[in-house]
Amino acid sequence: MPCGPQEVASLFLFEKLSPEQLGRLCAEGRVERFEAGPVYTEGDPATCFYVMIEGTVVLSRRVGGADVEVSRTSQRGVYAGAMQAYLGERVPQTYTHSMRVTEPTRFFVLPARSFADVMREWFPMAAHLLEGLFFGAQNTQRAIGQRERLLALGSLSAGLTHELNNPAAAAVRATATLRERVGKMRHKLAHISQGQYAREAIADLIEIQERTVERVAKAPALSPLEASDREDELADWLEDHGFPEGWRIAPVFVQAGLDTQWLEQVAAAVAQDLLPAAIGWLAYTVETELLMDEIDESTTRISHLVDAAKQYAQLDRAPHRTVDVHELLDSTLLMLSGKIGPGVRVVKEYDRSVPDVPAYPAELNQVWTNLIDNAVSAIAGTGGEGTLTVRTAREGDRLLVEFRDTGHGIPPDIRGRIFDPFFTTKPVGEGTGLGLDISWRIVVDKHHGSLEVQSIPGDTRFQVLLPLTAPDTAEETA
């Protein structure tokens, strides 16, 4: 269609240009009319710069195999297309979104090469400023993103060290106590063996010891009140049978699941003169079993924490594979348990029937970390007491992972900006504003999923939707 300099000059982008400049635009560009339908597609080579003269345009991004509308407007003079052509080959020259029109629409269309030339010739200072802004923002984002990952790693390391310290210290204490008890048991055994006891009596004592060990392994859980009552009963029995300080060993017997009926069986099985030594020896036996149980529990806890750390970091794993998201969620929650704190109640609403999904698990763990950290911060802003609910479910051909917190919520006026780079509501020094931006890029760009937020005070939900099948481009995505 004919290109008139006056019509081009009426567009706000070109209103300050000289007649010569407008003439060059019309000479190198063109006016083109598009019927309702696509104009260009995201990912295609960016060959043209478009300025709308009249009509309606819709911009969209490809998310999870579907086009998500990001803008719709009829404002005259809006522009799109090869807006980074002046940067040349230093950036990929492809369309970053798709554009379609919903009615017959006219554009002033300028080839990308011409747009780059006029930008550099007519506005050299502006081109340099924009270039510096673009690459400066990229470098800043890269540097701060690296710093944020290091801070997150430091926080996780501190939390993991704290979590490992408790069972490790318990195992060390139990080992020291066990060594002492075993020494006393050897002394007591030597005392018994040197006494004037029949071999049958000693054999009966050893048989009682074996049955005692079996009772320890099957000890029932008692309420505090039940445990207190049983301790009193055992202490009274021991005192009645010549143990003036029976209250010292009664709690050990109660913890092992023993009662007065068991003591009566011991008293009936051994001679009266052997009973004090037998009870003392069995007390050491019970203590050693309980201490070994404590050591076993502590070392098992350490092993689980190490496994969780490996699962979180995805050491020795393929970068892209099919994973059970529940394993990733559990490992992240365990790694962050120290940071979550006692005031936050964690509720898991897992749908275990959902299938595994193709993913980059280490990067999904980074998403879970960011979303959990934000939820905990939101709850901390309301006094530190609240609930974090992690829910999974299947929604059609996608897997939903939802993080719901009872924090103060996200105000409506900033909700549309929370995924922008460097935007943060945290105090200065506490947030870089890249956590949600990184999460968005991992979920949307790398996994072809979607990341959405719904929020009212007391109920904020971040919803991650991941495709159940790998897109054709999954392996090609870096």
Side-chain angles (χ1 to χ4, degrees), residues 192 195-204 274:
I192 292 175
Q196 301 300 317
Y197 305 119
R199 294 180 61 182
E200 293 78 7
I202 295 178
D204 290 340
L274 185 60

Side-chain angles (χ1 to χ4, degrees), residues 347-404:
V347 177
K348 299 178 183 178
E349 296 180 356
Y350 291 168
D351 180 0
R352 296 286 184 177
S353 66
V354 299
D356 295 351
V357 295
Y360 295 87
E363 299 193 26
L364 282 185
N365 281 338
Q366 188 175 2
V367 175
W368 311 151
T369 299
N370 292 334
L371 298 182
I372 292 171
D373 181 67
N374 285 345
V376 171
S377 298
I379 293 173
T382 59
E385 300 284 338
T387 301
L388 167 63
T389 303
V390 183
R391 182 172 71 94
T392 62
R394 181 169 183 164
E395 290 198 356
D397 60 350
R398 296 193 292 177
L399 168 66
L400 167 69
V401 182
E402 179 182 80
F403 299 84
R404 183 168 72 245

Side-chain angles (χ1 to χ4, degrees), residues 19 31 57 88 114-115 119 156 164 214 224 253 315 358 377 383 433 460 466:
V31 173
V57 299
S114 296
F115 175 66
M119 280 290 294
L156 287 172
L164 286 171
E214 293 178 2
F253 287 158
L315 298 175
S377 298
T460 297
L466 300 171

